[in-house]
């Protein structure tokens, strides 16, 4: 990680309007996808702040991956399946779970019973 030693890099970031700083005392970072969580304990985190957003760099010495028992589906996916198969959002969620997130398969499961 850069800690002040790389002046050229910092000058370049300044010219681009980016402010870079270390985020202190980070205990844990969790990245969640629809099927798993990645848990990073005590990472080094640097934030590069631009005018409208921030870029976070996370450096992990180790991490743990956990598969989610129940996948998380977006509200749009659930509503699309419910509309296409003419079923309730609960039924659509169950079909998406059974189809492991495959929208077309979930719709087929609901419409070919």
């Amino acid at each position: 990680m850069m800690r002040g030693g790389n002046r050229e890099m910092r000058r370049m970031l300044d010219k681009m309007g980016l402010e870079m700083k270390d985020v202190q005392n980070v205990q844990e970072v969790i990245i969640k996808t629809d099927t798993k969580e990645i848990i990073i304990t005590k990472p080094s985190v640097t934030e590069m702040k631009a005018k409208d957003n921030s870029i976070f760099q996370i450096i992990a010495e180790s991490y743990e991956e956990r598969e989610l028992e129940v996948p998380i589906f977006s509200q749009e996916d659930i509503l699309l399946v419910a509309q296409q198969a003419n079923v309730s959002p609960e039924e659509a969620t169950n079909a998406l779970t059974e189809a492991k997130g495959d929208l077309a398969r979930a719709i087929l499961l609901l419409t070919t019973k």
Side-chain angles (χ1 to χ4, degrees), residues 5-97:
N6 195 337
R7 275 195 226 130
E8 279 184 43
M9 176 63 94
R10 288 199 182 268
R11 279 192 201 124
M12 188 175 77
L13 291 171
D14 283 345
K15 282 181 187 173
M16 293 168 52
L18 291 172
E19 177 189 325
M20 191 166 113
K21 67 177 184 176
D22 292 335
V23 179
Q24 300 298 314
N25 303 314
V26 176
Q27 299 302 305
E28 184 176 74
V29 170
I30 300 173
I31 299 170
K32 293 183 180 190
T33 72
D34 58 346
T35 58
K36 67 182 175 183
E37 289 181 340
I38 301 169
I39 298 101
I40 306 164
T41 307
K42 299 220 182 264
S44 297
V45 179
T46 303
E47 179 183 12
M48 285 183 274
K49 215 175 196 150
K51 207 182 328 178
D52 298 332
N53 56 31
S54 289
I55 300 166
F56 290 92
Q57 176 181 318
I58 300 163
I59 300 174
E61 288 184 24
S62 64
Y63 63 91
E64 174 190 340
E65 272 190 49
R66 264 191 289 209
E67 294 296 319
L68 294 175
E69 294 193 18
V70 178
I72 300 166
F73 305 111
S74 74
Q75 209 51 42
E76 292 83 22
D77 287 352
I78 293 168
L79 291 175
L80 177 74
V81 170
Q83 265 181 335
Q84 293 296 314
N86 200 22
V87 297
S88 71
E90 294 78 27
E91 290 173 287
T93 301
N94 293 339
L96 278 164
T97 302

